Amino acid sequence: MLVGVVLAGVAVTATTYAARRSLAREALTGWLRDQGVESEVSFKAFDADGLSGSLRIGPARDPDLVAEVAEVRYDILGFWEGQPLGVRVTQVRLVEPSIKARWRDGKLSLGSLDPLIEKLRRRPPQPDRGQPTIEIDSAHLRLDTDYGRLTAIADLSADKGRLRRLDARVAPAALKTRDAEIRLGASELHVVAFGNRLAVAAALQAERLRAGDLSADGSSLRLSAQTPYPDLKLKTADGDVSVNLTLDARSLARGTSRVRNLRQTASFRGAASGWIDRLTLKGSGEAAGLADELVSGGSTARAVQVRARAGGLTWSHAGGDRVTADLNLAVGADRLAASRDLTLTRIAGAFDGPAAAGGGDYRLDLSGALKAHGGWAGLGPARPGDTPGDRGLKRAMSAFDVDAPRIAIRATNQNLVLSLPAAARLRPDNGGQIVLLPTDRPLYADGAGGFRLTAGGGSLPTTDLSVARYRVTGGGVDGQARLAVRGSLGPVERGSVELAGGFRMSHGAFEIAADGCAPISAERLELGVNDIEALSGSLCPGGGPLVRIGGGGWRVKGVAKDAGVRVPFLEAQVSRVSGPIELADAKGDLGLVADIRAARIDDLAKAQRFRPLLAHGTATLAAETWRGAFALTDPAGRPLAQARLDHDGRSGAGGLTFDTGTLAFAEGGLQPANLSPLAADIGSPASGQARFQGSVDWTAAGSTSHGTLDVGHLDFRSRAGAVKGLTGQVVLTSLAPLRSAPGQTLRAESVVGLAPLSAAEVRFSLDEKAIQVGAASFTLSGGKVTVEPFAIPLTPAASWHAVVDLDGVELSDLVKASPFADRMNLVARVSGQVPFAVTPQGVRVSGGELHAITPGRLSIRREALTQVTADGGAPATGAKAAPAPAAAADPYSDFVYQAMESLAFNELNARVDSQAGGRLRVLFHIKGEHSPPTRQTIQLAWGEVIRRRIDRIVPLPSGTKVDLTLDTSVNLDQLLSDFAEYQRLRGSGPVQPKDR
């Protein structure tokens, strides 16, 4: 029976072995079916310790796993090993399996295998069964995600639950969502276990990445690391850790920031302890970033270098990620274009201090130094026409060194604070320095701060800029500042300005809007041969910034108030200027727009040419060309002239023209004295017409000027009397100094003075020193008066002299018009010569001689005489106020009185000279006879004949010969003063309005 049982067992065993493939297939598929997994198994080989075949898991039309070659090695367990009957899998090998997976909403799914994986995950491992060796060769993985599909080929080797090796190669792929896109290149992952450590190497290629405002092109990430092999049983990962990371990107951008050709490396050396939820790393780290170009916020940096070393680095995952380290940071760049105009080169900075981060917070406390070389082109390039001040300033700002020996940086996730414990200096290559001084406020704190900046030396203007506060807003900096500048800029030489107000710095430009009027001054405005000097006044806000510097130039825009300048080439002073003005230099092109609402013009010439004028109009400068148009009035507001300015800055040629038009003079209206001191002798009231046209022309070599005065018909009062019908034209060859062409002529129909003059004519010329009178003549009392050539100096109070020639002038009219009219009568036609001089003390005559050319008569009343001596040649003296006695006791003296009361002469000579005190002495020598109206004879008593003595008053016989010397004088100064006052009282009074 035993044999039968054995044979039966053998038969059963043989039958079972023959049907092993079918039994195994049914058993495996049934088990998988019981787990809810649809499958199909096909065995190619089956023996006592293993099997091989093909395997499909999942629906036939869309399987989740397909392995054409699947090998399983196992051991049969039983009572002979003291274990229940069963199978222990010792090795599983899959060759080129195809595996499908899905990543949806952050969860990984293997399709039909998900139920089995979940049950196995919940089933605790069986320690007595051990872990099989798993080999997967060239697995084809397909992962479908929300962004697209990933495919990879992977090799996996694991022994008894420990990974020995993993190699995966990911094929290029394109992943995309609504707001993100990535195009991956071929990537790799390699993991190797050796001893109790893991070595990891990974390489990720990304040809294109777009995610929100982040983009990257041509990126690659390489990772190499060695870590402890994690102990899954004890849940520890203690041991040394080393990590090296390299990131390359052809282009990386976020928002307005962009990096080109970035290479970033990072490394860590230290030790790990704990498990995932309490993992701690301690050690040191280094990082370096190199980029060919970095663009951010309008700034561009080239060859950027950032290196960091973190000593005492500790990272802890327990209770939240936290990192602490002692940081040493070095930054550098070959070139930084901080704005359109500012460029820094050879930038080098070093900082160190503690750093910490954790719980969403971080903190840096660094201190260090920064150095650089740089240049600022905000004033534009140097140009041939630049002033020395401009050239020096442009050179200073185009090349300088920056040295900040101490900078403190404190940064957290809430704010950033920059402080200057010591002054930072900017030193131009050509001398001087700009100093950024520490203040009580941080240089920068949470988008705000304050500072003080001073400058001076070399070609730099002396500058003091104090910024009490500022704030970074809208891509720029706003704040309140006080600025004082003294120096040269553009056409301004040795100028100064002081102002306070709000300022803004943005895109390399600085602008300030004044709170009130800013006092300004300049020693000179450089305009070639036409420089303007002594600028002063105030510049007040007119809307918008008062000063703007940047963009290759500068601009000053405001409202001028009470401004003034001196114009040497015009010998004029312009003052009380008011009105909007804008002066700008855009890349070397100086421009001006001035709306002059009011201005006053004063003559500075030694010989004043015109009285103060008021002006209004416009002036512009563009493309080196000046244009201006002005209306001139007198202080009373009466229109006087139109002026026009034209100047070509390229050639240095230009001109100022002016035209009064026809000026009408009338009593109670405009008078010549309103216009010029040269018209002081044209007394009021004057009536008639005149016109003046002139110009000042200049070139780079110098300036010229000319003008023409046309007098149509002018009636006025002069010192000599009322002038009628003055006409003529005066051609001026220079206005500054005042000069005329030779041979200028003015004519007058008549002059009504002490005696009527007619046919008056003056030929003259002007130069800078005097009025040169070539000839002057007029008709007087039937004769002619000629003044020999003379010069009247234009220097105030200077003396001058002339000689007057008289030819046949009848003196009777002069005597009748003189103060002697009530004392004497004189009928005498004389010729002669009277030299005279005009001095500060008055008119002085020296050596004047007159002689009668025809017989005449002289009658002097007795009361005009004080003493007469009758013997030939003896002097008789006249006195102005001494009356003659009522009756003369001396008959011989009475003969003298009678002779002078009725004297007919055939010879008269007079000597004219001035005496001390302004008196004019006239010494007459007269020969003639007594010629009373009624013939007189003398009858003598015999006793009188015998005694030869007469004691009684008797008539002087007619025909008595007279040889008379008469010495008389008159106070000429008083006489001329009285006559001038008489002429003034006959006029209309002052015509010059009060200055305003």
Side-chain angles (χ1 to χ4, degrees), residues 435-437 439 441 449-454 463-470 479-484 499-501 503 510 512:
V435 183
L436 186 61
L437 297 168
T439 64
R441 299 174 65 97
F451 62 88
R452 183 183 176 196
L453 184 147
T454 63
T463 304
D464 191 339
L465 173 63
S466 179
V467 177
R469 58 179 177 83
Y470 75 86
Q480 287 291 123
R482 183 175 296 275
L483 175 66
L499 57 91
F503 76 90
F510 172 82
I512 183 167

Side-chain angles (χ1 to χ4, degrees), residues 164-184:
R164 291 190 304 181
R165 187 177 187 92
L166 171 64
D167 297 293
R169 289 168 291 280
V170 181
L175 305 178
K176 187 175 183 180
T177 65
R178 184 175 60 182
D179 55 359
E181 175 187 359
I182 181 170
R183 190 167 66 238
L184 294 175

Side-chain angles (χ1 to χ4, degrees), residues 72 199 362:
V72 179
Y362 68 88

Side-chain angles (χ1 to χ4, degrees), residues 368 406-410 417-422 438-439 441-445:
R406 294 185 63 190
I407 301 175
I409 304 173
R410 186 178 66 199
V417 179
L418 300 178
S419 301
L420 283 179
T439 64
R441 299 174 65 97
L443 181 62
Y444 178 89

Side-chain angles (χ1 to χ4, degrees), residues 857-874:
R857 294 185 65 85
L858 172 66
S859 176
I860 302 177
R861 295 173 178 79
R862 293 193 180 201
E863 58 267 26
L865 303 173
T866 59
Q867 182 181 356
V868 175
T869 300
D871 54 345

Side-chain angles (χ1 to χ4, degrees), residues 833-867:
Q833 190 177 75
V834 180
F836 69 92
V838 178
T839 70
Q841 292 75 35
V843 178
R844 299 295 182 259
V845 178
S846 176
E849 294 182 356
L850 299 174
H851 60 275
I853 61 174
T854 61
R857 294 185 65 85
L858 172 66
S859 176
I860 302 177
R861 295 173 178 79
R862 293 193 180 201
E863 58 267 26
L865 303 173
T866 59
Q867 182 181 356

